[in-house]
Amino acid sequence: MLTTLDRLKVGMAARVEKVEAQGIVRRRLFDMGLTPGVKVYLRKKAPLGDPLEITIRGYELSLRKDEAKYLEIYVDDADGDYEH
């Protein structure tokens, strides 16, 4: 199922398919390791839903919801776990 990272539910894993951002935002996301093919795990969301805390490439990253919406992800319902 394709969606965006800001819509992922806590405890779910997904794979980044595409980065829709442009310019400096795109560069910033890439610098943080958010590149196509990388697996991410949504650890938690702040009480009001912003920011999101994800695990990526062995570290925890806080990401604003408005940045997460630029990341198109693939969620495989059969593969809910994440390899740390």
Side-chain angles (χ1 to χ4, degrees):
M1 167 176 79
L2 283 174
T3 188
T4 54
L5 184 57
D6 62 316
R7 295 178 180 213
L8 192 64
K9 292 181 181 169
V10 173
M12 294 188 74
R15 183 180 66 245
V16 175
E17 290 292 316
K18 191 179 204 182
V19 179
E20 295 286 341
Q22 298 298 318
I24 196 152
V25 175
R26 181 179 179 89
R27 177 63 187 201
R28 185 171 182 272
L29 292 172
F30 274 39
D31 287 348
M32 290 188 286
L34 292 160
T35 57
V38 72
K39 197 155 186 184
V40 297
Y41 173 77
L42 183 58
R43 293 176 46 87
K44 58 186 168 182
K45 290 184 180 181
L48 297 176
D50 195 20
L52 314 174
E53 185 177 307
I54 62 172
T55 300
I56 177 175
R57 299 181 190 268
Y59 72 96
E60 281 72 41
L61 174 69
S62 292
L63 191 66
R64 289 270 175 220
K65 200 171 183 178
D66 64 339
E67 295 169 327
K69 71 180 178 187
Y70 291 117
L71 298 164
E72 186 176 290
I73 59 170
Y74 177 75
V75 181
D76 183 359
D77 295 331
D79 182 29
D81 50 276
Y82 176 80
E83 301 88 30
H84 295 283

